[in-house]
Amino acid sequence: MNQEHGECNVIVRIGSQKVPAKRRLSQSKSPLNKIAKLKNRFESNSSSSSSSSNNHSIIEETKKENRTEWSCHTRVLHNESPYFAALFGENFIESRASVVFLPSSIIETQAMEAIIEYMYTHKIRIPDSVQELCEMYSAADYLGMERLCKEIAEIMSNEKCHKFSCYCATCIVNIPEMFLFCRTRSIQLQDEGMMVMTEKILTILANDPEKSLSTFWTGRQMAQLLLNLSDDVSQALSHRILYRVNKSNAIESLFACFTASNLLSAHDPLLSWSKPLHATLTSVQAKATRTIARYFDFFCCQYPALLSCIDGITYSFDFLEYLLLHILEDQMDCTNVGILYQGIVCDLMSRHAVEYNEHVKHILNVAKVMVLCYITRRIGDIRHQGGLDKLDKSVLKLLAHDLDVRPKLLISSNHPLFHRGLFSFLIPSMPNLNTSSIYTQELSRYSSRSTTTSRHVTVPTKRKSPTLTQRLVRLFKKFGPHQEDKVEQAVINKLPNRYASTSTVHSSWSHVMLSNTKDKKKHSFTNKMKQRRRFSESATSSQVSAPLVALNRRVQLSRRPTLTVGTVMYVGHVNFADGIWIGVELDRRVGKNDGSVDGYRYFTCSPNRGVFVRSEDVSVVV
């Protein structure tokens, strides 16, 4: 051997020592030891005199396959490993022995080869598999080599797991394999480094259901990990990812379940190894659909994920069908069936994109039929629990029309309109003159859904409430259309002039046109009232739109079939038409331009979110 290390004077062997304890002292005098020394001398004479060639020969010896013993130098082992330093420095039997035995139950042969190579070169030979790296870490920790343990932990974190922040194919394979090793060492041996690494693995496996379900929870390594763990630990891991599903990520988590189920169906159609994964996906799917059904009104009006799914922007239509099917089949009950009907019919089906997409329209129509069939079968229980009492009167009328029943049959006895009889749905109640009209109340309700902050509509109106004459005419028109002329003439003749003069004022709910008769006085009276009404309406519209429409004000487009809200970005003359025009940046992509028309830019916004309208076509939302 060279002058730096000298001759190899100790053999490190993996395995149990079979020599009795009383004969260990005489082991150095045995013939086998002499043969080993002669062999070492022969190898030293044939080797090179330089230290680099000596180290190279030792490294080459360690690379032999299935090797269980290695010829080493006592000084190298003493300097690199505290375990060997204590073994050779204290009064142990092995300090005078030529063969040192290491337990095969703790140290593997491949790990020991890599460690001996590191002792001579201070370079780690990184194995291909994570299992070999874990075995190398266990052997280094047993030998007390803290520096080597830290370097191996860095390799695990940075190179094998990409700092536990990646969802690539390599991490999908390596991280589940590493979790069981790290958790066992952190619990049994109180290894602080493995404790930190275990928490990082739990974070990436369970803290983000949107990303982890469609990646880690679709691999064979994750399924094997759940089988190797005890039942309580595997359930705790599933509960941890289940706990992360909430109102803010319910649709994203459900989409991850949808993607993961499709991948597992393709990779394991016979469920030979993916049963534990399907159990977790089923639990997450149940909680996500339960959360969506509970806050269905919020998701249909304010949450952009479901609305973009209807518009065909973010998710596919197959996922929309999957979402509605599981919500209606698994989560629909007597308490939320009204909210589901209102969300599907009044919010989703009124989207602008539904009118031009037959596939989405078919999906929503099927969902509507499912809700109507459920209400028909369970109408008694729904009335008893008041499942439809929270619906608006207009929605309740629409539902009664779809079911071909009276609205009173859909509400419970605790509803305010239940004891008002049939006329409560035919004649509206007297409104409060200090409040806004029904139109502005509905606008306030939907405008608060479409924006992030609550806004109240304070559009002033001069519309008067229905008079007694108008109510009676409408009532008799319902039950006797042929008697309309007689009733109207009789009522007008009997009432004083002050009632007749206000009988044709425009109402907040509806407008009843009096039938024409051969009486010229009546005909002239009706024409005069029409002219007065037109004048009052034009004055009201000019009062509303002219002073209130200004830059950065929130407005609603009044001539759109669905709710359309935006912000005023331009007010003034334009090149493409005469008069004053208002440029609005819409909240949704249902506009016509990006703020420019015919190459001339008036304001800047995203594509298909700009539109120009007249002042009478908008109403201010403040």
Side-chain angles (χ1 to χ4, degrees):
M1 304 297 284
N2 58 55
Q3 298 178 357
E4 181 181 357
H5 299 294
E7 296 181 359
C8 295
N9 52 2
V10 65
I11 296 177
V12 179
R13 181 177 297 172
I14 300 295
S16 59
Q17 186 177 4
K18 299 181 181 180
V19 181
K22 293 183 179 179
R23 297 179 55 188
R24 291 180 184 175
L25 292 175
S26 61
Q27 187 179 15
S28 59
K29 301 179 180 180
S30 61
L32 294 176
N33 192 22
K34 294 181 180 180
I35 295 174
K37 290 183 179 180
L38 293 175
K39 182 178 180 181
N40 292 336
R41 291 175 182 175
F42 177 76
E43 292 176 353
S44 63
N45 293 331
S46 61
S47 61
S48 176
S49 60
S50 63
S51 61
S52 59
S53 60
N54 181 34
N55 293 338
H56 180 73
S57 62
I58 296 176
I59 294 172
E60 291 298 329
E61 291 178 0
T62 59
K63 292 183 180 179
K64 294 181 179 179
E65 297 181 357
N66 300 325
R67 186 167 185 176
T68 58
E69 63 179 32
W70 299 266
S71 299
C72 302
H73 299 85
T74 305
R75 182 179 300 176
V76 175
L77 299 180
H78 182 277
N79 295 335
E80 297 294 334
S81 171
Y83 175 85
F84 287 113
L87 190 67
F88 297 144
E90 302 295 337
N91 190 16
F92 289 102
I93 299 176
E94 286 80 358
S95 61
R96 295 182 296 272
S98 60
V99 179
V100 177
F101 290 89
L102 296 177
S104 58
S105 59
I106 299 177
I107 302 177
E108 299 293 335
T109 56
Q110 295 180 353
M112 193 62 201
E113 286 183 3
I115 290 176
I116 292 177
E117 180 180 347
Y118 175 82
M119 290 180 178
Y120 283 91
T121 62
H122 294 93
K123 294 181 181 180
I124 301 177
R125 178 164 50 91
I126 302 176
D128 296 333
S129 64
V130 176
Q131 183 179 0
E132 295 180 4
L133 198 62
C134 294
E135 293 174 354
M136 187 176 175
Y137 183 91
S138 299
D141 182 69
Y142 180 82
L143 298 177
M145 304 173 66
E146 296 182 358
R147 179 182 173 184
L148 179 59
C149 290
K150 291 181 180 179
E151 294 181 4
I152 295 176
E154 291 180 357
I155 294 175
M156 289 181 177
S157 177
N158 299 336
E159 298 187 14
K160 295 297 182 180
C161 299
H162 301 163
K163 297 182 179 181
F164 302 101
S165 60
C166 180
Y167 297 88
C168 64
T170 303
C171 294
I172 293 174
V173 175
N174 293 338
I175 290 180
E177 291 182 357
M178 197 177 297
F179 175 73
L180 185 60
F181 170 79
C182 297
R183 183 180 180 277
T184 303
R185 291 193 61 86
S186 62
I187 294 178
Q188 296 181 359
L189 302 178
Q190 301 298 318
D191 193 332
E192 296 181 358
M194 293 296 105
M195 289 181 183
V196 175
M197 199 171 295
T198 301
E199 189 61 30
K200 291 181 179 179
I201 294 176
L202 286 175
T203 300
I204 194 173
L205 289 180
N207 279 20
D208 193 354
E210 179 183 357
K211 296 180 180 179
S212 60
L213 285 175
S214 58
T215 52
F216 290 105
W217 294 80
T218 58
R220 189 186 295 266
Q221 291 76 17
M222 192 67 193
Q224 188 64 33
L225 172 64
L226 295 177
L227 293 176
N228 294 335
L229 293 174
S230 58
D231 294 338
D232 55 343
V233 178
S234 60
Q235 291 178 3
L237 185 60
S238 300
H239 289 167
R240 179 161 180 166
I241 193 173
L242 194 64
Y243 176 75
R244 294 291 178 175
V245 179
N246 49 45
K247 181 180 177 181
S248 62
N249 64 353
I251 291 184
E252 290 80 0
S253 300
L254 188 62
F255 180 73
C257 292
F258 171 74
T259 305
S261 300
N262 292 337
L263 291 176
L264 290 177
S265 300
H267 296 163
D268 186 26
L270 301 179
L271 301 180
S272 60
W273 52 267
S274 60
K275 289 183 179 179
L277 302 177
H278 279 289
T280 302
L281 294 177
T282 303
S283 302
V284 175
Q285 172 189 303
K287 184 174 182 180
T289 53
R290 183 166 59 250
T291 303
I292 298 173
R294 182 179 180 182
Y295 303 102
F296 196 70
D297 190 23
F298 164 78
F299 286 104
C300 290
C301 300
Q302 299 182 17
Y303 200 71
L306 181 58
L307 301 181
S308 61
C309 183
I310 296 293
D311 298 337
I313 299 175
T314 305
Y315 303 119
S316 62
F317 297 142
D318 293 336
F319 171 67
L320 176 63
E321 184 177 1
Y322 172 88
L323 182 147
L324 293 176
L325 181 65
H326 283 83
I327 289 177
L328 298 180
E329 288 187 349
D330 301 338
Q331 306 300 335
M332 184 166 56
D333 54 27
C334 298
T335 59
N336 63 9
V337 63
I339 302 299
L340 295 177
Y341 174 83
Q342 178 176 338
I344 293 173
V345 176
C346 300
D347 297 324
L348 299 184
M349 296 185 72
S350 62
R351 299 284 295 179
H352 184 72
V354 178
E355 301 177 2
Y356 304 98
N357 196 310
E358 295 297 332
H359 190 189
V360 179
K361 188 183 298 184
H362 173 72
I363 294 173
L364 295 178
N365 284 329
V366 172
K368 176 183 176 182
V369 171
M370 293 177 65
V371 176
L372 294 177
C373 292
Y374 184 87
I375 295 175
T376 304
R377 295 193 307 265
R378 307 289 300 276
I379 185 62
D381 296 336
I382 294 173
R383 289 188 60 189
H384 178 71
Q385 299 184 22
L388 304 176
D389 291 353
K390 295 182 180 180
L391 296 181
D392 298 336
K393 183 186 291 187
S394 58
V395 181
L396 197 61
K397 287 183 179 180
L398 182 61
L399 177 59
H401 180 268
D402 291 337
L403 296 175
D404 197 15
V405 296
R406 292 188 302 167
K408 185 177 180 180
L409 298 178
L410 302 177
I411 58 178
S412 64
S413 58
N414 298 326
H415 197 278
L417 299 178
F418 183 80
H419 299 287
R420 294 174 57 184
L422 176 64
F423 297 99
S424 62
F425 292 95
L426 299 178
I427 303 178
S429 59
M430 185 69 67
N432 187 0
L433 297 180
N434 295 328
T435 59
S436 60
S437 63
I438 293 296
Y439 174 77
T440 57
Q441 291 175 7
E442 292 295 327
L443 178 60
S444 176
R445 171 175 176 265
Y446 286 102
S447 61
S448 62
R449 293 179 181 180
S450 61
T451 56
T452 56
T453 58
S454 299
R455 295 182 173 88
H456 301 282
V457 179
T458 58
V459 180
T461 117
K462 293 186 178 180
R463 297 178 180 177
K464 297 183 179 181
S465 60
T467 61
L468 179 60
T469 303
Q470 218 169 0
R471 291 190 179 189
L472 291 175
V473 170
R474 291 173 58 193
L475 177 61
F476 284 100
K477 187 177 180 180
K478 290 282 185 179
F479 294 97
H482 300 289
Q483 304 296 328
E484 178 185 358
D485 297 338
K486 298 181 180 180
V487 172
E488 180 184 353
Q489 185 65 34
V491 172
I492 293 177
N493 293 334
K494 290 182 180 181
L495 287 176
N497 292 333
R498 61 188 181 91
Y499 289 105
S501 62
T502 58
S503 61
T504 54
V505 178
H506 187 67
S507 172
S508 298
W509 288 276
S510 61
H511 173 60
V512 180
M513 295 294 295
L514 299 178
S515 61
N516 295 326
T517 61
K518 297 180 180 180
D519 191 356
K520 297 181 179 180
K521 294 182 179 180
K522 178 185 175 183
H523 185 71
S524 61
F525 174 76
T526 305
N527 292 336
K528 290 181 180 179
M529 289 298 101
K530 288 183 180 179
Q531 294 176 1
R532 289 184 180 181
R533 184 166 62 253
R534 292 194 191 101
F535 176 77
S536 62
E537 287 179 355
S538 62
T540 303
S541 63
S542 62
Q543 292 176 3
V544 172
S545 56
L548 294 180
V549 175
L551 292 179
N552 300 324
R553 297 298 297 269
R554 298 286 296 174
V555 295
Q556 181 193 7
L557 305 189
S558 56
R559 296 192 179 183
R560 289 293 181 99
T562 60
L563 177 68
T564 307
V565 183
T567 305
V568 176
M569 303 298 293
Y570 177 82
V571 178
H573 294 278
V574 294
N575 296 333
F576 56 86
D578 298 331
I580 302 297
W581 288 77
I582 299 175
V584 182
E585 181 181 2
L586 303 177
D587 294 347
R588 298 183 290 112
R589 295 183 182 273
V590 292
K592 298 181 179 180
N593 51 63
D594 60 347
S596 63
V597 178
D598 297 335
Y600 186 84
R601 179 166 299 279
Y602 301 93
F603 62 93
T604 303
C605 66
S606 301
N608 297 329
R609 292 185 65 178
V611 67
F612 287 89
V613 295
R614 292 284 190 179
S615 59
E616 59 268 15
D617 296 337
V618 298
S619 56
V620 180
V621 180
V622 294

